[in-house]
Coordinates of all heavy atoms in Angstrom, one line a residue:
D954 N -58.3 -30.7 174.9 CA -59.3 -30.9 174.0 C -58.8 -31.4 172.7 O -57.8 -30.8 172.0 CB -60.0 -29.6 173.6 CG -60.8 -29.0 174.9 OD1 -61.0 -29.8 175.9 OD2 -61.2 -27.9 174.9
R955 N -59.4 -32.5 172.2 CA -58.9 -33.2 171.0 C -59.9 -33.5 169.8 O -59.5 -33.6 168.6 CB -58.2 -34.5 171.2 CG -56.9 -34.3 172.0 CD -55.8 -33.5 171.2 NE -54.6 -33.3 171.9 CZ -54.3 -32.2 172.5 NH1 -55.1 -31.1 172.4 NH2 -53.2 -32.0 173.2
E956 N -61.2 -33.6 170.2 CA -62.1 -33.9 169.1 C -63.5 -33.3 169.6 O -64.0 -33.4 170.8 CB -62.2 -35.4 168.9 CG -63.0 -35.8 167.8 CD -62.9 -37.3 167.5 OE1 -63.1 -38.1 168.4 OE2 -62.6 -37.7 166.4
L957 N -64.2 -32.8 168.6 CA -65.6 -32.3 168.8 C -66.4 -33.2 167.9 O -66.2 -33.4 166.7 CB -65.7 -30.9 168.4 CG -67.0 -30.1 168.7 CD1 -67.2 -30.1 170.2 CD2 -67.0 -28.8 168.1
I958 N -67.4 -33.9 168.5 CA -68.3 -34.8 167.8 C -69.8 -34.2 167.8 O -70.3 -33.9 168.8 CB -68.3 -36.1 168.5 CG1 -66.9 -36.7 168.7 CG2 -69.2 -37.2 167.7 CD1 -66.8 -37.7 169.8
V959 N -70.2 -34.0 166.6 CA -71.6 -33.4 166.4 C -72.5 -34.4 165.7 O -72.0 -35.0 164.6 CB -71.5 -32.1 165.5 CG1 -72.9 -31.6 165.3 CG2 -70.5 -31.1 166.1
E960 N -73.6 -34.8 166.3 CA -74.5 -35.8 165.7 C -75.9 -35.3 165.6 O -76.4 -34.5 166.4 CB -74.6 -37.0 166.7 CG -73.2 -37.6 167.0 CD -73.2 -38.5 168.2 OE1 -73.3 -38.1 169.3 OE2 -73.4 -39.8 167.9
V961 N -76.6 -35.7 164.6 CA -78.0 -35.3 164.4 C -78.7 -36.8 164.1 O -78.2 -37.7 163.5 CB -78.2 -34.5 163.2 CG1 -77.8 -33.1 163.5 CG2 -77.8 -34.9 161.9
D962 N -79.8 -36.9 164.8 CA -80.6 -38.2 164.8 C -82.0 -37.9 164.9 O -82.5 -37.2 165.8 CB -80.1 -39.1 165.9 CG -80.6 -40.6 165.9 OD1 -81.4 -40.8 165.0 OD2 -80.1 -41.3 166.8
N963 N -82.9 -38.6 164.0 CA -84.2 -38.4 164.2 C -84.9 -39.8 164.2 O -86.1 -40.0 164.1 CB -84.8 -37.7 163.1 CG -85.1 -38.4 161.7 OD1 -84.5 -39.6 161.5 ND2 -85.7 -37.9 160.7
G964 N -84.1 -40.8 164.6 CA -84.7 -42.2 164.7 C -84.6 -43.0 163.5 O -84.4 -44.2 163.4
G965 N -84.8 -42.4 162.2 CA -84.7 -43.0 160.9 C -83.6 -42.5 160.1 O -83.2 -43.1 159.1
F966 N -82.9 -41.5 160.6 CA -81.8 -40.9 159.9 C -80.7 -40.4 160.8 O -81.1 -39.7 161.8 CB -82.2 -39.8 159.0 CG -81.1 -39.2 158.1 CD1 -80.9 -39.8 156.9 CD2 -80.5 -38.1 158.5 CE1 -79.9 -39.2 156.0 CE2 -79.4 -37.6 157.7 CZ -79.2 -38.1 156.5
Y967 N -79.4 -40.7 160.6 CA -78.4 -40.3 161.5 C -77.2 -39.8 160.6 O -76.9 -40.3 159.6 CB -77.9 -41.5 162.3 CG -76.7 -41.3 163.1 CD1 -76.8 -40.7 164.4 CD2 -75.4 -41.5 162.7 CE1 -75.7 -40.4 165.2 CE2 -74.4 -41.3 163.4 CZ -74.4 -40.7 164.7 OH -73.3 -40.4 165.5
R968 N -76.6 -38.7 161.1 CA -75.3 -38.2 160.5 C -74.5 -37.7 161.5 O -75.0 -37.1 162.6 CB -75.7 -37.2 159.5 CG -74.5 -36.8 158.7 CD -74.7 -36.1 157.5 NE -75.3 -37.0 156.4 CZ -76.1 -36.6 155.4 NH1 -76.1 -35.3 155.1 NH2 -76.5 -37.5 154.5
S969 N -73.2 -37.7 161.5 CA -72.3 -37.2 162.4 C -71.1 -36.5 161.7 O -70.8 -36.7 160.5 CB -71.7 -38.3 163.3 OG -71.1 -39.2 162.6
S970 N -70.4 -35.7 162.5 CA -69.2 -35.0 162.0 C -68.2 -34.9 163.1 O -68.5 -34.7 164.3 CB -69.6 -33.5 161.6 OG -68.5 -32.9 161.1
F971 N -67.0 -35.3 162.8 CA -66.0 -35.2 163.8 C -64.9 -34.0 163.4 O -64.4 -34.0 162.3 CB -65.1 -36.5 163.8 CG -66.1 -37.6 164.1 CD1 -66.8 -38.3 163.2 CD2 -66.1 -38.1 165.5 CE1 -67.6 -39.3 163.5 CE2 -66.9 -39.1 165.8 CZ -67.7 -39.7 164.9
I972 N -64.7 -33.2 164.3 CA -63.6 -32.1 164.1 C -62.5 -32.3 165.1 O -62.5 -32.3 166.3 CB -64.3 -30.7 164.4 CG1 -65.7 -30.6 163.6 CG2 -63.3 -29.6 164.3 CD1 -66.5 -29.4 164.0
Q973 N -61.3 -32.5 164.5 CA -60.1 -32.5 165.2 C -59.8 -31.1 165.8 O -59.9 -30.1 165.2 CB -58.9 -32.8 164.3 CG -59.0 -34.3 163.9 CD -58.8 -35.4 165.0 OE1 -59.6 -36.0 165.1 NE2 -57.8 -35.2 165.7
L974 N -59.4 -31.1 167.1 CA -59.1 -29.9 167.9 C -57.6 -29.9 168.2 O -57.0 -30.9 168.4 CB -59.9 -29.8 169.2 CG -61.5 -29.8 169.0 CD1 -62.1 -29.9 170.3 CD2 -62.0 -28.7 168.1
D975 N -57.0 -28.6 168.4 CA -55.7 -28.4 168.7 C -55.6 -27.7 170.0 O -55.0 -26.7 170.2 CB -55.0 -27.6 167.7 CG -53.6 -27.5 167.8 OD1 -53.0 -28.3 168.5 OD2 -52.9 -26.6 167.2
G976 N -56.3 -28.3 171.1 CA -56.1 -27.8 172.4 C -56.5 -26.3 172.6 O -57.5 -25.8 172.0
E977 N -55.6 -25.6 173.3 CA -56.0 -24.2 173.6 C -55.8 -23.3 172.4 O -56.3 -22.1 172.4 CB -55.0 -23.7 174.6 CG -55.2 -24.3 176.0 CD -54.2 -23.8 177.1 OE1 -53.0 -23.9 176.8 OE2 -54.7 -23.3 178.2
A978 N -55.2 -23.8 171.3 CA -55.1 -23.0 170.1 C -56.3 -22.9 169.3 O -56.4 -22.2 168.3 CB -53.9 -23.5 169.3
E979 N -57.2 -23.7 169.7 CA -58.6 -23.8 168.9 C -59.5 -22.7 169.2 O -59.6 -22.2 170.3 CB -59.2 -25.2 169.3 CG -60.2 -25.8 168.3 CD -59.5 -26.1 166.9 OE1 -58.4 -26.7 166.9 OE2 -60.2 -25.9 166.1
P980 N -60.2 -22.2 168.1 CA -61.2 -21.2 168.4 C -62.3 -21.8 169.3 O -62.6 -22.9 169.3 CB -61.7 -20.8 167.0 CG -61.3 -21.9 166.1 CD -60.1 -22.6 166.7
A981 N -63.1 -20.9 170.0 CA -64.0 -21.3 170.9 C -65.4 -21.6 170.2 O -66.2 -22.3 170.7 CB -64.4 -20.2 171.9
V982 N -65.4 -21.3 168.9 CA -66.9 -21.5 168.1 C -66.4 -22.3 166.8 O -65.5 -21.9 166.1 CB -67.5 -20.3 168.0 CG1 -68.7 -20.5 167.0 CG2 -67.9 -19.6 169.1
H983 N -67.2 -23.2 166.5 CA -67.2 -24.0 165.2 C -68.6 -24.1 164.7 O -69.5 -24.1 165.4 CB -66.6 -25.4 165.4 CG -65.3 -25.5 165.8 ND1 -64.2 -25.5 164.8 CD2 -64.6 -25.5 167.0 CE1 -63.1 -25.6 165.4 NE2 -63.2 -25.5 166.8
T984 N -68.6 -24.1 163.3 CA -69.9 -24.1 162.6 C -69.9 -25.4 161.8 O -69.0 -25.7 161.2 CB -70.1 -22.9 161.6 OG1 -70.1 -21.7 162.4 CG2 -71.4 -23.0 160.9
V985 N -70.9 -26.2 162.0 CA -71.1 -27.4 161.4 C -72.5 -27.3 160.5 O -73.4 -27.0 161.1 CB -71.1 -28.6 162.3 CG1 -71.5 -29.9 161.5 CG2 -69.9 -28.7 163.0
M986 N -72.5 -27.8 159.2 CA -73.7 -27.7 158.4 C -73.9 -29.2 157.9 O -73.0 -29.7 157.4 CB -73.6 -26.9 157.2 CG -73.6 -25.4 157.8 SD -73.3 -24.2 156.3 CE -74.5 -24.8 155.0
F987 N -75.1 -29.7 158.1 CA -75.5 -30.9 157.5 C -76.4 -30.6 156.4 O -77.6 -30.2 156.6 CB -76.2 -31.8 158.6 CG -75.2 -32.3 159.7 CD1 -75.3 -31.7 160.9 CD2 -74.4 -33.4 159.4 CE1 -74.4 -32.1 161.9 CE2 -73.5 -33.7 160.4 CZ -73.6 -33.1 161.7
K988 N -76.0 -30.9 155.2 CA -76.9 -30.7 154.0 C -77.7 -31.9 153.7 O -77.3 -33.0 153.9 CB -75.9 -30.3 152.9 CG -75.1 -29.0 153.1 CD -74.3 -28.7 151.9 CE -73.5 -27.4 152.2 NZ -72.8 -27.0 150.9
A989 N -78.8 -31.6 153.0 CA -79.7 -32.6 152.5 C -80.2 -33.6 153.6 O -80.5 -34.8 153.3 CB -79.0 -33.4 151.4
L990 N -80.6 -33.0 154.7 CA -81.2 -33.8 155.7 C -82.7 -34.1 155.4 O -83.3 -33.1 155.1 CB -81.1 -33.1 157.1 CG -79.8 -33.0 157.8 CD1 -79.9 -32.3 159.1 CD2 -79.3 -34.5 158.1
P991 N -83.3 -35.1 155.5 CA -84.8 -35.3 155.4 C -85.6 -34.4 156.3 O -85.1 -34.3 157.5 CB -84.9 -36.8 155.6 CG -83.6 -37.4 155.3 CD -82.6 -36.4 155.9
A992 N -86.6 -34.0 155.9 CA -87.5 -33.1 156.7 C -87.8 -33.9 158.0 O -88.0 -35.2 158.0 CB -88.8 -32.8 156.0
G993 N -88.0 -33.2 159.1 CA -88.4 -33.9 160.4 C -87.8 -33.1 161.5 O -87.0 -32.2 161.4
A994 N -88.1 -33.7 162.7 CA -87.5 -33.2 164.0 C -86.2 -34.0 164.3 O -86.2 -35.3 164.0 CB -88.5 -33.4 165.1
Y995 N -85.2 -33.4 164.8 CA -83.9 -34.0 165.0 C -83.3 -33.8 166.4 O -83.6 -32.7 167.0 CB -82.9 -33.6 164.0 CG -82.9 -34.1 162.7 CD1 -83.8 -33.5 161.8 CD2 -82.3 -35.2 162.3 CE1 -84.0 -34.0 160.6 CE2 -82.3 -35.8 161.0 CZ -83.3 -35.1 160.2 OH -83.4 -35.7 158.9
E996 N -82.8 -34.8 167.1 CA -82.0 -34.5 168.2 C -80.5 -34.3 167.9 O -80.0 -34.9 167.0 CB -82.0 -35.8 169.2 CG -81.2 -35.6 170.5 CD -81.3 -36.7 171.4 OE1 -82.5 -37.0 171.9 OE2 -80.3 -37.3 171.7
I997 N -79.9 -33.2 168.4 CA -78.6 -32.9 168.2 C -77.8 -33.1 169.5 O -78.2 -32.7 170.7 CB -78.5 -31.3 167.8 CG1 -79.3 -31.1 166.5 CG2 -77.1 -30.9 167.5 CD1 -79.5 -29.6 166.2
R998 N -76.6 -33.8 169.4 CA -75.8 -34.0 170.4 C -74.3 -33.5 170.0 O -73.9 -33.8 168.8 CB -75.6 -35.5 170.7 CG -76.9 -36.0 171.3 CD -76.6 -37.6 171.6 NE -76.5 -38.4 170.4 CZ -77.4 -38.8 169.6 NH1 -78.7 -38.6 169.9 NH2 -77.0 -39.6 168.6
V999 N -73.7 -32.7 170.8 CA -72.3 -32.3 170.7 C -71.5 -32.7 171.9 O -71.8 -32.5 173.0 CB -72.2 -30.8 170.6 CG1 -70.8 -30.3 170.4 CG2 -73.3 -30.3 169.4
T1000 N -70.4 -33.5 171.6 CA -69.7 -34.1 172.7 C -68.2 -33.6 172.5 O -67.7 -33.7 171.3 CB -69.6 -35.6 172.6 OG1 -71.0 -36.1 172.7 CG2 -68.9 -36.2 173.7
L1001 N -67.5 -33.3 173.5 CA -66.1 -32.9 173.5 C -65.4 -34.0 174.1 O -65.6 -34.5 175.2 CB -65.9 -31.5 174.4 CG -64.5 -31.1 174.6 CD1 -64.0 -30.7 173.1 CD2 -64.5 -29.9 175.6
K1002 N -64.3 -34.4 173.3 CA -63.4 -35.5 173.8 C -62.0 -35.0 174.1 O -61.4 -34.2 173.3 CB -63.3 -36.6 172.6 CG -62.7 -37.8 172.9 CD -62.8 -38.8 171.8 CE -62.0 -40.2 172.1 NZ -62.2 -41.0 170.9
R1003 N -61.4 -35.4 175.1 CA -60.2 -35.1 175.5 C -59.2 -36.0 175.1 O -59.4 -37.1 174.6 CB -60.1 -34.8 177.1 CG -61.0 -33.8 177.7 CD -60.1 -32.5 177.8 NE -60.9 -31.3 178.1 CZ -61.1 -30.8 179.2 NH1 -60.8 -31.4 180.3 NH2 -61.9 -29.6 179.3
S1004 N -57.8 -35.6 175.2 CA -56.7 -36.4 174.7 C -56.6 -37.7 175.4 O -56.1 -38.8 174.9 CB -55.4 -35.7 174.9 OG -55.2 -35.4 176.2
D1005 N -57.2 -37.9 176.6 CA -57.1 -39.3 177.3 C -58.3 -40.1 177.0 O -58.6 -41.2 177.5 CB -57.0 -39.0 178.8 CG -58.3 -38.3 179.4 OD1 -59.1 -37.9 178.7 OD2 -58.2 -38.1 180.7
G1006 N -59.2 -39.7 176.1 CA -60.4 -40.4 175.6 C -61.6 -40.0 176.4 O -62.7 -40.5 176.1
E1007 N -61.4 -39.3 177.5 CA -62.6 -38.9 178.3 C -63.5 -38.0 177.5 O -63.1 -37.1 176.9 CB -62.2 -38.2 179.6 CG -63.3 -37.8 180.5 CD -62.8 -36.9 181.7 OE1 -61.6 -36.6 181.8 OE2 -63.7 -36.7 182.6
M1008 N -64.8 -38.3 177.6 CA -65.9 -37.4 177.0 C -66.3 -36.5 178.2 O -67.0 -36.9 179.2 CB -67.0 -38.3 176.6 CG -66.7 -39.3 175.6 SD -66.2 -38.7 174.0 CE -66.3 -40.2 173.0
V1009 N -65.9 -35.3 178.1 CA -66.0 -34.2 179.1 C -67.3 -33.4 179.1 O -67.7 -33.0 180.2 CB -64.8 -33.5 179.3 CG1 -63.6 -34.3 179.6 CG2 -64.6 -32.6 178.0
H1010 N -67.9 -33.3 178.0 CA -69.1 -32.4 177.9 C -70.0 -32.9 176.8 O -69.6 -33.1 175.6 CB -68.7 -31.0 177.8 CG -69.8 -30.0 177.7 ND1 -70.5 -29.6 179.0 CD2 -70.6 -29.4 176.7 CE1 -71.4 -28.8 178.7 NE2 -71.4 -28.6 177.3
T1011 N -71.2 -33.0 177.0 CA -72.2 -33.3 176.0 C -73.4 -32.4 176.1 O -73.9 -32.2 177.3 CB -72.7 -34.8 176.1 OG1 -71.6 -35.7 176.0 CG2 -73.7 -35.0 175.0
A1012 N -73.8 -31.6 175.0 CA -74.9 -30.9 175.0 C -75.9 -31.4 174.0 O -75.6 -32.1 173.1 CB -74.5 -29.4 174.5
K1013 N -77.2 -31.4 174.4 CA -78.3 -32.0 173.6 C -79.3 -31.0 173.4 O -79.6 -30.0 174.1 CB -78.9 -33.2 174.4 CG -78.0 -34.3 174.5 CD -78.8 -35.4 175.1 CE -77.8 -36.6 175.4 NZ -78.5 -37.8 176.1
G1014 N -79.9 -31.1 172.3 CA -81.0 -30.2 171.8 C -81.9 -30.8 170.7 O -81.5 -31.8 170.3
R1015 N -83.0 -30.1 170.5 CA -83.9 -30.6 169.4 C -84.2 -29.5 168.5 O -84.4 -28.4 168.9 CB -85.3 -31.1 170.1 CG -85.0 -32.5 170.8 CD -86.3 -33.2 171.1 NE -87.1 -33.6 170.0 CZ -86.9 -34.7 169.2 NH1 -85.8 -35.5 169.5 NH2 -87.6 -35.1 168.3
V1016 N -84.4 -29.8 167.1 CA -84.8 -28.8 166.2 C -85.8 -29.5 165.3 O -85.8 -30.7 165.1 CB -83.5 -28.4 165.3 CG1 -82.6 -27.6 166.1 CG2 -82.9 -29.5 164.7
G1017 N -86.6 -28.7 164.7 CA -87.6 -29.1 163.7 C -89.0 -29.0 164.1 O -89.3 -28.4 165.3
P1018 N -89.9 -29.5 163.3 CA -91.3 -29.3 163.7 C -91.7 -30.0 164.9 O -91.2 -30.9 165.3 CB -92.2 -29.8 162.4 CG -91.1 -30.5 161.6 CD -89.7 -30.1 162.1

Side-chain angles (χ1 to χ4, degrees):
D954 294 348
R955 292 296 176 258
E956 190 171 54
L957 191 64
I958 305 160
V959 182
E960 303 167 280
V961 294
D962 188 353
N963 77 351
F966 185 85
Y967 173 86
R968 186 161 293 163
S969 63
S970 181
F971 298 85
I972 301 168
Q973 290 294 124
L974 302 177
D975 189 20
E977 290 178 308
E979 201 64 36
V982 176
H983 288 274
T984 301
V985 176
M986 290 178 46
F987 292 102
K988 297 181 180 183
L990 291 177
Y995 285 84
E996 181 176 299
I997 300 171
R998 290 179 299 276
V999 180
T1000 305
L1001 178 64
K1002 186 176 178 180
R1003 293 267 167 94
S1004 57
D1005 62 1
E1007 180 183 7
M1008 304 294 194
V1009 295
H1010 184 79
T1011 300
K1013 294 181 181 181
R1015 290 193 65 79
V1016 295

